[in-house]
Amino acid sequence: MDKLTKKGLDGTQLKTIALVLMVLDHIHYFFEFTGCIPTVFSMLGRLSAPLFLFCTVEGFAHTHDRKRYFIRIWAIGTAMAALEFFMIYAKAFRRGDGFYPLNAIFQDLALLCIVWQGIDWLREKKLAKGIAAIAAVLCWPYVVITSPLPLWTSITDGSWSFLLGGVLLYALRGRRKVQLTVWALVIFLCDFVLPFGMACRQDGFVWTQMFTDYYEWFGVAAVLLMLLYNGQRGSGHKQLFYWFYPAHVYLLYGASCLLYNVLR
């Protein structure tokens, strides 16, 4: 049994792969204006967010202190959202061409943690608490229209498909094949079928553009790595994964601002 559990990839290995892919994606994101960064960096990066999402689902399910787990994600996400808020509305800290980072995946994860807890309360027959938790996430943007706090309608990073995928991964957790099959099909529908249907109506569109311009759906390939997850936490390094995200975003952004000023 021990030999079987050691096969595949543990949580730390999955997050490390996601981290490397994320850095490639963000190198393209911040330095695309130079024309020197290959688009393949961004294509490979499509796998990063789904992998981090999957690992967060597992982390939330296994943590012994959900409140602390949530507060850590919420605090980092809210700090980044507050800075983004001022970039959007005060136009502060923007690059010379008006560009500013929209990297805010922690906001999505914070919102999803609330929904996941609501799902568990519903399973425990705590209907009022479960419905209230899920309703709070759905109704919050209609109560507070403009805020530096995470909102699924504005200051978030993922799309509707990302949030929906996060709900499905948690709700179906424990039935790996069903969980990942449903997730992959829904993401393929949201990120390939629907965009393809809309793009077909555009003049001059050719199907090959789904592999060159509309490649968000490449993230579906992350399911192959998810299938390799062996259920083990790994060596940890959780502080690295929490703080690397905001640190590398602003370091790369700062470097891009300096380079832009040099090149212009």
Side-chain angles (χ1 to χ4, degrees), residues 22 52 56 69-81 102-113 150 155-158 162-163 238-249:
M22 176 181 67
F52 275 124
T56 306
Y69 188 90
F70 167 75
I71 290 175
R72 185 185 294 115
I73 292 176
W74 176 84
I76 296 173
T78 299
M80 294 184 72
L102 294 172
N103 308 87
I105 195 173
F106 272 57
Q107 285 89 306
D108 294 291
L109 297 178
L111 296 173
L112 283 170
C113 283
I155 304 180
T156 54
D157 196 2
F162 181 83
L163 295 170
K238 64 180 181 179
Q239 295 301 324
L240 168 66
F241 295 114
Y242 281 117
W243 295 108
F244 183 86
Y245 182 76
H248 94 283
V249 163

Side-chain angles (χ1 to χ4, degrees), residues 12 23 30 41 43 50 61 70 77 86 93 101 142 146 153 163 172 194 202 215 247 264:
T12 298
V23 171
F30 288 111
F41 277 30
M43 292 177 174
F70 167 75
F86 288 108
F93 314 117
Y142 299 104
T146 301
T153 56
L163 295 170
L172 298 174
L194 294 180
Q202 300 176 10
Y215 52 80
R264 71 175 180 175

Side-chain angles (χ1 to χ4, degrees), residues 48-83:
S48 178
L51 288 175
F52 275 124
L53 176 59
F54 179 78
C55 291
T56 306
V57 166
E58 292 298 312
F60 185 81
H62 286 114
T63 185
H64 298 296
D65 190 342
R66 288 190 172 183
K67 184 180 293 186
R68 183 177 179 182
Y69 188 90
F70 167 75
I71 290 175
R72 185 185 294 115
I73 292 176
W74 176 84
I76 296 173
T78 299
M80 294 184 72
L83 183 55

